[in-house]
Amino acid sequence: MGQVLNQARKIPFWAERLKNISPELGPFLQMAKIPLLTKRDLLAEQALHPPYGRLFSQTEKGLCRYTQTSGTSGHTLRWLDDSASWEAMLECWAMCYELAGVNGSDRLFFPFSFGPFLGFWTAFEAAARLGVLSIPGGGLSSEARLRMAFEVDASVLLGTPSYLIHLGEMAKLQGAKVPKPRLLIVAGEPGGSIPATRQRLEKLWGARVIDHAGMTEVGPTTVECAESPGGFHLLESMYYPEILDPQTGQEVDQGELILTNLKRLSGPVIRYRTGDLVARDRDPCPCGFGGLKLKGGILGRLDDMVFIRGNNFHPQTLEAILFELPELAEYRAIIHQSGPMARLEVLVEPRPGIDPLALVEAADSAIRERCLFRAEIRAVEVGSLIPAELKARRHSVQG
Ligand SMILES: [Zn+2]
């Protein structure tokens, strides 16, 4: 922690933020005085000093890696790393693989194109470094990816939950000559922590789901272990975590996850508000990995919460409800906020051969029962809601 603070003082953005905090205090006393950092702060700094802001190491040359956020919220955050910081993230992934039970005889298949997102660049490089066969599947159609994964006998597939569901549905229709992975490592969307989505994936592929989470500006932070389905280990040797009540800022067992990066020193983030709602699990894990464990993975995003017809509504809830319906292939939800009251519109896509009206009725009663309000539900044609291979957005807000 002391090293992070010393390094941060050499970086203009942080030097300003820390100028009233005495370095004479112990690192944890200093920490407690540092204001929480938000993504908005980082974006504002980059807008003020484009293109990167004064967020990165100035004294040493060697910022050699560029990544950026997907900009799903409308703003792209650019990030730079030197080789030591990049190495630290590869170390994170080495831990993730160990916890997931990936071993030297596995064949990892990455069925997506490598864009400017941190996502699986680090996952791919770390696996290759560990001596695990890592196979890129970018620049191909979904059909070609399935064929290739079968031909190389992929034992682990990595991807977003929605894209692996899409591939799994295709594989099911195809029947023969499809890969039979033993593990699916998913990230990029909340689905891996939503029981109905996990079950759907595990049933489609006959493989175990391992959920993982990370953020471009922080790094690969959490992973599920092979022995504790649905729980997340935070890689505590790499990050200093706090769980705070978003209203009061008090330390709590269930609240917002706040992270400080301990090893990514070329661009530190200190007391970063991740926006993720988490719950501390005090029971030790059978795998023996120490540090903070999170019950149920990431429970939701603070900024996604909306108020519909007198109810707090979280879009993640909708995924949990709708993916339990066997008739449903995909869905999209639109929250309309222009009128006097917010309303929810849901487009549902039936599986082939399913009566669209039966699906609409099933979705209607499931939402009414669990959310206590009524949504406007419409069926769309089979095959019309194909998910993107990266970060599908099932929910949008209008008005
Ligand atoms: Zn564990």
Side-chain angles (χ1 to χ4, degrees), residues 107 109-111 135 137 140 142-157 167 177-181 205:
R107 283 91 45 207
F109 189 72
F110 295 74
I135 303 157
L140 300 169
S142 295
E143 287 83 356
R145 283 180 179 145
L146 267 184
R147 193 165 56 242
M148 183 174 168
F150 167 74
E151 285 167 358
V152 299
D153 195 18
S155 63
V156 182
L157 299 182
L167 271 189
K177 297 203 171 179
V178 291
K180 298 265 181 278
W205 288 103

Side-chain angles (χ1 to χ4, degrees), residues 2-296:
Q3 199 190 0
V4 178
L5 295 171
N6 289 341
Q7 172 65 14
R9 286 197 157 85
K10 298 179 196 158
I11 296 175
F13 174 83
W14 285 105
E16 240 163 63
R17 254 177 123 77
L18 300 175
K19 68 174 184 257
N20 295 325
I21 297 169
S22 165
E24 305 296 314
L25 294 170
F28 286 94
L29 282 177
Q30 289 184 53
M31 273 284 283
K33 292 178 184 289
I34 300 174
L36 297 179
L37 176 73
T38 63
K39 188 166 182 177
R40 196 170 296 173
D41 297 331
L42 297 174
L43 287 167
E45 170 63 17
Q46 293 197 336
L48 208 58
H49 301 278
Y52 303 115
R54 303 160 306 153
L55 295 165
F56 304 101
S57 172
Q58 306 281 304
T59 51
E60 295 153 63
K61 294 254 184 297
L63 292 167
C64 56
R65 296 280 188 166
Y66 173 99
T67 46
Q68 67 178 45
T69 60
S70 53
T72 38
S73 55
H75 303 282
T76 296
L77 181 66
R78 302 182 179 87
W79 212 257
L80 301 173
D81 284 284
D82 68 7
S83 54
S85 293
W86 191 262
E87 283 295 326
M89 289 194 289
L90 300 189
E91 248 180 80
C92 292
W93 263 106
M95 280 188 244
C96 291
Y97 285 134
E98 193 185 336
L99 283 165
V102 168
N103 61 57
S105 57
D106 275 312
R107 283 91 45 207
L108 273 53
F109 189 72
F110 295 74
F112 46 80
S113 302
F114 284 58
F117 316 123
L118 182 71
F120 289 106
W121 279 98
T122 40
F124 191 91
E125 230 174 289
R129 192 77 61 89
L130 288 171
V132 182
L133 182 59
S134 307
I135 303 157
L140 300 169
S141 67
S142 295
E143 287 83 356
R145 283 180 179 145
L146 267 184
R147 193 165 56 242
M148 183 174 168
F150 167 74
E151 285 167 358
V152 299
D153 195 18
S155 63
V156 182
L157 299 182
L158 294 94
T160 59
S162 52
Y163 188 65
L164 291 186
I165 284 179
H166 171 63
L167 271 189
E169 297 278 2
M170 280 182 59
K172 204 166 105 183
L173 288 177
Q174 216 162 298
K177 297 203 171 179
V178 291
K180 298 265 181 278
R182 67 178 190 88
L183 279 182
L184 309 171
I185 299 181
V186 299
E189 292 166 11
S193 288
I194 297 174
T197 308
R198 291 177 68 91
Q199 277 158 22
R200 182 167 278 222
L201 271 167
E202 293 191 334
K203 209 168 141 206
L204 268 172
W205 288 103
R208 165 73 198 277
V209 166
I210 296 281
D211 195 13
H212 160 79
M215 305 174 95
T216 298
E217 60 278 38
V218 185
T221 55
T222 41
V223 71
E224 201 178 319
C225 73
E227 292 180 50
S228 180
F232 258 9
H233 287 293
L234 182 99
L235 308 175
E236 219 174 301
S237 56
M238 311 304 255
Y239 307 96
Y240 174 72
E242 298 166 83
I243 302 177
L244 302 182
D245 182 313
Q247 260 82 49
T248 65
Q250 295 300 305
E251 191 103 41
V252 283
D253 268 359
Q254 178 159 344
E256 184 181 5
L257 181 64
I258 310 291
L259 290 174
T260 295
N261 207 315
L262 300 176
K263 300 278 174 74
R264 209 173 164 191
L265 298 176
S266 61
V269 290
I270 302 172
R271 305 198 81 201
Y272 189 58
R273 294 189 63 167
T274 63
D276 289 331
L277 284 174
V278 297
R280 183 188 296 273
D281 186 350
R282 294 193 178 272
D283 293 334
C285 189
C287 79
F289 193 81
L292 176 64
K293 191 163 169 248
L294 303 173
K295 201 179 272 180

